[in-house]
């Protein structure tokens, strides 16, 4: 830090109140990112305060990492500098809500759980099954463009953000987009902020499009047995008139359990998880179609009650696997959808040859695959395995990032991987909005 | 003459037959569907990205404006050469480069006409979802630039929700590739930035889009009302019921009569308004939703609710809707169409307001619009030869836009800011907001030569509509 901690504390405390600036080690340790503990935590309670903190940080060249609930901070390269955590947890107010219009505006620190509960009272939801679940903050979900298997039906945060209010490093507050569901006025800066992982500006408020929660849903499990059968079935389901809410191919050789409650909670070699929605009549029809498809493939179909637990685990493997595998790595491959099973197959082989336990979850409709390397302690071969898996993803026409891993692995391999000929444009964009690199420096693609 | 030397130079890039420079040829390119301004110095028709790069570099060398143009159906003056320069027209770059059904992707050149892509994959059961009413003419390049919507984007999302990757030529001549044919390529979402940037950040030379599967069943419902207010109330009621139809369009009686006379689609001639509603999906759910929608329409006093009995009947209803602007052209020398958006619950109030403006300014205003997402298209009829009337049209349009803003809405839902509304941007954006946008523009288009005078305020006519009625808006 280029400025004495004492004077930071005094200046910021004048702005935020004493409780708004914490410097004690224990509190700061809770905000460590990739093993780096910040010197202080600033917890503003208004958007204006966020802007003032940014102006202050810019003046003193203090590096900040904005955070909501910290559920996705494991994604990113280790920060080049990290002086302070900017906690948005107190920015959690409801600003505007019109259920009949299916639109809402909230502050960025509101937790996803609180949010869903609020709109759930009107039968609405934001159809995202994100890692971090209820704990995540709305701002964090947007900054990470976090989405799970529901994405094939509803899109991701990118498709749901109507407008954002952001604080910029020059200490100003600006907005982009608006509150209505259709709007093309001006550049769509919301797209730039969505998925920018806190490197361009700090999201302080978001207007979002809401959806009606399907009144009834049903989950099915098809024991496909092999990836070949899974691929075939997935293809047939995608080509059928069925339009499942979620469709996931799960495979593991490590006896990982997606269900604690079921007697046979272990995953088979390869399972297909499908969720459909609609009236009884509609789900009966879906069930019939799925039964026929699985019978033709020689696989069993099971209707699974209380499947929320399963879907939560698929959406957020780190959360339940971490305790058993503390040095777990989760890779996210983004692929042409057709390559999903092939990638799972290569992932499993690669892990096996390095004697690493493997669990994989393919959102086969959109081509997003989470490959989990299940390790109690990181082995020397892990980095090599990740490089090979990245190569496999690229050979299949996709890309691979490390979404979650032990810090030690990050010193051996860039978490984002391949860059394109637009990297220069991205760098210029960063310097246009954050010239002194005070926001999450070094954490993003290409050292941004 | 500057244009002759320049045309020779450009002809060496694209061939003699790829350049227009005679005044009589340029005349065809001095307007789009909004307005006419001035002629470009030269019009050039590239065949590939390489030629676009060379043309961009020529524009740079000569310090000339460079403006991309698709089919010229834009309604905000986006492809008009406000300061002359080189107009880059994509009608020779209209190849569908790749169709990958298994991954539901297509890669196209920017000049591909929107409907042609859907037609190309129709037999396999797929289509390209964004369907502007102009889809028989407008290009996917133009759609990307405007982030166009359409009747069916209510449920499926507008252009930006269907574009995965772009190839872009920057004004410097540099070529960049944004996004990927898969989702979530690491890095900033530059694709999302370029979509809707109205040709002011780069020239798009290739587009990768998602293809959608056709649903098993479709039901098209026509609800007929004697009171406009009942129709607008129905819109809010359907949304509140939690049904998202694939399309939910409204046409008022005035427009309907013009449409019916032009297309004989079977629309009633004597009603105040109709809603054209479509539901799609599994046949079981379509039936349920159609029943539910019908009930909502009746609760809101629909005089009659019809369902299209055949694909032909459905196509005819849609033909009527999609050619409506043209149909109005039969009854008025000119019209001016606005594109404001409001929260859908405010529709009844807004249409009431628009009807008071008709009286206040002694004008005819038709309403035909994407009701489901609150995207208005009031059509103000006029005759450009009548100066006084033309002036009143501008006042009425401004009143409508201002009311949209007051209701928490937007000045444009799909037609873009363009030339027309650039000086209205301050109505919804603060200096800070605009400053962030300027920083983006300065990055990609530092000397402002690419499509000058569009999207951002010019500062010349603060708070006023521009270009709109300078002898254009011809129906
Ligand atoms: C009868 C009628 C109905 C319409 N209905 C709808 C509707 O339902 N929904 C809707 O959204 N719009 C509608 N429009 C408006 C218009 O059709 C759309 O904006 C359309 O996308 C414009 O496409 P175009 O090819 O005609 O583009 P143009 O008008 O030629 O250009 C539009 C803009 O795109 C830019 N541009 C074009 N090509 C490129 C490129 N390759 N790279 C970069 N920039 C480029 C131009 O510079 C300009 O700024 C309608 C218009 C008419 C006349």
């Amino acid at each position: 830090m280029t400025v004495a901690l004492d004077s930071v504390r005094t200046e910021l405390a004048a702005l935020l109140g004493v409780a708004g600036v914490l410097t004690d080690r224990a509190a700061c340790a809770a905000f460590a990112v990739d093993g780096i503990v910040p010197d202080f935590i600033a917890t503003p309670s208004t958007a204006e305060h966020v802007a003032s903190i940014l102006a202050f940080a810019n003046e003193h060249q203090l590096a900040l990492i904005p955070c909501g609930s910290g559920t996705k901070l494991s994604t990113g390269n280790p920060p080049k500098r990290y002086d302070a955590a900017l906690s948005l947890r107190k920015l959690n107010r409801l600003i505007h809500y019109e259920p009949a219009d299916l639109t809402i505006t909230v502050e960025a620190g509101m937790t996803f759980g609180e949010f869903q509960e609020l709109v759930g009272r009107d039968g609405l939801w934001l159809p995202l099954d994100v890692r971090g679940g209820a704990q995540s903050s709305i701002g964090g979900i947007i900054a990470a463009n976090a989405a799970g298997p529901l994405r094939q039906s509803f899109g991701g945060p990118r498709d749901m953000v109507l407008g954002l209010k952001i604080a910029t490093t020059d200490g100003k507050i600006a907005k982009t987009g608006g509150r209505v569901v259709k709007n093309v006025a001006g550049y769509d800066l919301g797209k730039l902020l969505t998925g920018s992982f806190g490197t361009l500006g700090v999201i302080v408020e978001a207007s979002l499009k809401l959806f009606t929660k399907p009144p009834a849903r049903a989950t099915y499990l098809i024991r496909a047995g092999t990836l070949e059968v899974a691929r075939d079935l997935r293809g047939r389901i995608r080509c059928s008139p069925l339009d499942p809410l979620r469709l996931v191919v799960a495979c593991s050789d490590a006896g990982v359990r997606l269900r604690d409650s079921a007697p046979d909670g272990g995953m088979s070699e390869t399972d297909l998880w499908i969720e459909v929605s609609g009236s009884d009549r509609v789900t009966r029809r879906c069930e019939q179609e799925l039964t026929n498809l699985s019978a033709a493939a020689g696989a069993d179909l099971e209707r699974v009650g209380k499947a929320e637990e399963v879907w939560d685990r698929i959406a957020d493997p780190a959360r339940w696997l971490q305790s058993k595998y503390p040095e777990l790595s989760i890779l996210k491959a983004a692929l042409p959808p057709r390559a999903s099973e092939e990638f799972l197959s290569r992932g499993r082989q690669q892990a096996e040859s390095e004697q690493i336990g493997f669990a994989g979850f393919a959102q086969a409709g959109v081509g997003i695959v989470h490959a989990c390397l299940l390790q109690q302690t990181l082995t020397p071969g892990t980095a090599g395995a990740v490089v090979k898996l990245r190569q496999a993803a690229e050979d299949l026409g996709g890309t691979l990032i490390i979404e979650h891993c032990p810090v030690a692995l990050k010193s051996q391999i860039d978490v984002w991987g391949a860059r394109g000929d637009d990297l220069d444009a991205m760098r210029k964009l960063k310097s246009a909005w954050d010239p002194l690199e005070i926001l999450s420096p070094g954490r993003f693609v290409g050292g941004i | 003459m500057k244009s002759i030397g320049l045309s020779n130079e450009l002809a060496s890039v694209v061939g003699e037959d790829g350049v227009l420079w005679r005044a009589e040829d340029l005349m065809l390119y001095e307007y789009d569907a909004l307005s006419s301004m001035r002629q470009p110095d030269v019009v050039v028709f590239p065949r590939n990205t390489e030629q676009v790069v060379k043309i961009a570099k020529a524009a740079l060398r000569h310090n000339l404006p460079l403006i991309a143009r698709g089919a010229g159906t834009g309604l905000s003056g986006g492809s008009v050469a406000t300061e002359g320069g080189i107009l880059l027209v994509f009608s020779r770059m209209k190849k569908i480069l790749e169709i990958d059904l298994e991954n539901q992707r297509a890669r196209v050149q920017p000049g591909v006409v929107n409907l042609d892509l859907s037609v190309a994959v129709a037999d396999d059961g797929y289509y390209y979802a964004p369907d502007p009413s102009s889809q028989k003419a407008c290009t996917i390049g133009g759609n990307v630039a405007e982030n166009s919507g359409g009747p069916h984007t209510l449920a499926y999302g507008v252009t930006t929700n269907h574009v995965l990757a772009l190839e872009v030529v920057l004004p410097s001549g540099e070529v960049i590739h944004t996004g990927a044919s898969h989702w979530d390529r690491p890095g900033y979402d530059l694709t999302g930035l370029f979509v809707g940037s109205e040709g002011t950040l780069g020239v798009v030379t290739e587009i990768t889009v998602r293809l959608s599967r056709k649903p098993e069943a479709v039901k098209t419902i026509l609800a007929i009302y004697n009171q406009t207010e009942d129709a607008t109330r129905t819109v809010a009621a359907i949304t509140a019921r939690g049904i998202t139809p694939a399309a939910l369009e409204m046409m008022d009686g005035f427009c309907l009569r013009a449409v019916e006379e032009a297309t004989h689609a079977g629309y009633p001639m004597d009603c105040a308004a109709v809603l054209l509603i479509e539901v799609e999906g599994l046949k079981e759910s379509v039936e349920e939703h159609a029943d539910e929608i019908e009930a909502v329409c009746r609760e809101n006093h629909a005089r009659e609710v019809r369902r299209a009995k055949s694909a032909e009947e459905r196509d005819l209803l849609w033909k009527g809707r999609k050619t409506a602007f043209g149909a109005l052209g039969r009854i008025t020398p000119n019209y001016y169409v606005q594109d404001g958006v409001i929260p859908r619950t405010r529709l009844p109030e807004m249409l009431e307001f628009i009807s008071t403006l008709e009286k206040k300014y002694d004008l005819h205003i038709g309403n035909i619009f994407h009701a489901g997402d609150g995207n208005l298209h009031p059509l103000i009829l006029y005759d450009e030869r009548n100066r006084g009337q033309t002036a009143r049209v501008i006042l009425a349009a401004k009143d409508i836009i201002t009311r949209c803003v007051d209701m928490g809405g937007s000045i444009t839902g799909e037609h873009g800011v363009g030339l027309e509304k650039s000086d209205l941007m301050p109505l919804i954006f603060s200096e800070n907001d605009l400053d962030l946008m300027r920083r983006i523009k300065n990055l990609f288009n530092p000397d402002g030569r690419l499509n000058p005078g569009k999207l951002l305020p010019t500062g010349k006519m603060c708070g006023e509509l521009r270009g709109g009625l300078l002898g254009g808006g011809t129906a």
Side-chain angles (χ1 to χ4, degrees), chain B residues 59-81:
Chain B
L60 178 66
R61 264 195 314 278
H62 293 277
N63 193 26
L64 280 174
L66 180 68
I67 304 105
R69 178 176 170 111
T73 67
L75 286 165
S76 54
S79 59
V80 172

Side-chain angles (χ1 to χ4, degrees), chain A residues 301-353:
Chain A
L301 177 91
E302 178 193 338
R303 180 164 175 162
V304 180
K306 300 214 191 72
E308 225 25 66
E309 174 194 11
V310 172
W311 290 116
D312 284 350
R313 289 186 175 193
I314 290 174
D316 194 3
R319 212 152 35 138
W320 55 287
L321 290 169
Q322 184 94 57
S323 54
K324 190 160 170 208
Y325 304 102
E327 306 255 276
L328 161 89
S329 301
I330 298 184
L331 318 177
K332 177 182 135 184
L335 304 157
R338 142 184 90 197
S340 306
E341 292 85 5
E342 177 59 27
F343 180 78
L344 279 176
S345 156
R346 295 195 197 177
R348 191 159 63 182
Q349 274 166 27
Q350 195 57 49
E352 199 177 322
S353 71

Side-chain angles (χ1 to χ4, degrees), chain A residues 135-342:
Chain A
Q135 253 183 305
S136 342
S137 70
I138 293 294
I141 289 173
I142 295 169
N145 192 25
L150 280 170
R151 185 174 184 179
Q152 74 175 54
S153 304
F154 300 98
R158 175 191 198 276
D159 307 293
M160 298 167 188
V161 169
L162 301 173
L164 295 176
K165 196 194 255 188
I166 59 172
T168 47
T169 60
D170 52 3
K172 291 183 179 155
I173 292 175
K175 75 169 187 314
T176 158
R179 258 189 222 156
V180 279
V181 295
K182 209 167 165 195
N183 190 355
V184 296
Y187 297 130
D188 192 352
L189 304 182
K191 294 283 185 296
L192 287 181
L193 271 302
T194 306
S196 65
F197 284 89
T199 59
L200 284 180
V202 177
I203 299 168
V204 291
E205 202 178 286
S207 296
L208 297 154
K209 192 170 166 174
L210 295 169
F211 296 75
T212 309
K213 205 168 178 169
R217 294 191 259 171
T219 293
Y220 298 91
L221 165 63
I222 301 178
R223 299 276 188 186
T226 67
L227 280 167
E228 289 68 37
V229 175
R231 174 180 21 223
D232 179 56
L233 269 168
R234 187 261 306 158
R236 285 172 198 278
I237 294 171
R238 292 293 290 169
C239 289
S240 78
L242 300 179
D243 187 16
L245 281 185
R246 307 190 245 205
L247 171 59
V248 164
V249 177
C251 81
S252 175
D253 53 10
V256 168
R257 295 167 70 87
L258 274 177
R259 289 184 284 175
D260 285 334
S261 41
D264 173 23
M267 289 163 59
S268 79
E269 178 93 338
T270 309
D271 293 335
L272 228 71
W273 288 90
I274 303 138
E275 186 179 45
V276 300
S277 70
S279 67
D280 282 350
R281 212 167 129 236
V282 173
T283 43
R284 266 204 308 279
R285 159 90 193 278
C286 295
E287 184 165 328
Q288 192 53 52
E289 300 264 348
L290 289 172
T291 309
N292 296 347
L293 286 172
S294 39
D300 286 337
L301 177 91
E302 178 193 338
R303 180 164 175 162
V304 180
K306 300 214 191 72
E308 225 25 66
E309 174 194 11
V310 172
W311 290 116
D312 284 350
R313 289 186 175 193
I314 290 174
D316 194 3
R319 212 152 35 138
W320 55 287
L321 290 169
Q322 184 94 57
S323 54
K324 190 160 170 208
Y325 304 102
E327 306 255 276
L328 161 89
S329 301
I330 298 184
L331 318 177
K332 177 182 135 184
L335 304 157
R338 142 184 90 197
S340 306
E341 292 85 5
E342 177 59 27

Side-chain angles (χ1 to χ4, degrees), chain B residues 33 68-75 78-79 90 110 132-134 138-139 141-143 145-146 148-150 198-199 202-204 325 370 414-415 451:
Chain B
R69 178 176 170 111
T73 67
L75 286 165
S79 59
F90 283 100
S133 302
S134 51
C138 67
T139 65
N143 298 166
E146 302 288 14
S148 300
E198 303 190 11
V203 174
V204 174
F325 290 4
H370 312 305
E414 57 178 24
H415 296 165
N451 209 2

Side-chain angles (χ1 to χ4, degrees), chain B residues 9-267:
Chain B
E9 189 178 337
L10 294 174
S12 73
V13 177
V14 297
E16 291 282 336
D17 66 348
V19 186
L20 298 177
W21 53 273
R22 289 192 183 86
E24 60 271 32
D25 290 331
L26 297 179
M27 241 173 81
L28 285 173
Y29 294 90
E30 69 184 22
Y31 56 85
D32 67 358
L34 169 81
S35 70
S36 67
M37 270 304 261
R38 64 172 269 189
Q39 296 183 348
D41 294 309
V42 53
V43 177
V44 53
F45 302 89
R47 290 185 188 276
N48 53 45
T49 305
E50 213 187 322
Q51 293 183 350
V52 175
V53 168
K54 287 187 178 147
I55 297 163
K57 287 187 174 157
L60 178 66
R61 264 195 314 278
H62 293 277
N63 193 26
L64 280 174
L66 180 68
I67 304 105
R69 178 176 170 111
T73 67
L75 286 165
S76 54
S79 59
V80 172
T82 49
E83 299 170 18
I86 303 178
L87 192 70
L88 203 52
V89 181
F90 283 100
S91 42
R92 288 181 179 175
M93 283 178 72
K94 54 175 180 192
K95 274 204 271 303
I96 297 177
L97 300 168
E98 189 188 344
I99 290 176
D100 174 0
L101 292 180
E102 215 183 330
N103 290 312
Q104 297 188 211
R105 308 280 188 266
R107 198 159 52 85
V108 302
Q109 287 188 317
V112 170
V113 168
N114 175 296
L115 188 62
D116 289 353
L117 178 58
S118 284
V119 167
V121 294
D123 286 346
D124 294 297
Y126 294 86
Y127 69 109
Y128 174 58
D131 63 336
S133 302
S134 51
Q135 72 184 143
K136 277 188 182 161
C138 67
T139 65
I140 296 185
N143 298 166
V144 165
E146 302 288 14
N147 190 14
S148 300
H152 290 83
T153 50
L154 172 60
Y156 303 115
V158 294
T159 300
T160 192
N161 308 108
H162 298 270
V163 173
L164 288 165
L166 297 173
E167 178 182 82
V168 183
V169 176
L170 302 178
S172 59
E174 189 192 340
V175 182
I176 63 170
H177 296 82
T178 70
S181 63
H182 56 82
W183 302 61
D184 289 358
R185 205 186 112 215
Y188 298 129
D189 184 1
L190 296 179
T191 307
L193 173 67
F194 278 106
V195 176
S197 64
E198 303 190 11
T200 66
L201 300 180
V203 174
V204 174
T205 47
E206 212 175 281
I207 304 147
T208 305
V209 299
R210 291 201 292 139
L211 298 173
S212 305
R213 267 194 72 77
K214 282 195 209 163
E216 177 183 58
V218 182
K219 282 242 182 306
T220 309
I221 300 167
L222 183 69
I224 303 166
Y225 295 85
N226 285 338
Q227 302 285 336
T228 310
E229 210 185 321
D230 291 331
T232 47
R233 285 228 175 87
T234 305
V235 175
I238 289 174
T239 314
R241 270 303 162 89
I243 311 167
T244 305
L248 175 43
E249 300 282 304
M250 180 170 153
M251 284 189 269
D252 69 14
F254 176 72
C255 294
L256 266 184
R257 286 182 277 282
V259 165
E260 187 54 25
E261 269 160 25
T263 56
H264 308 292
Y267 284 112

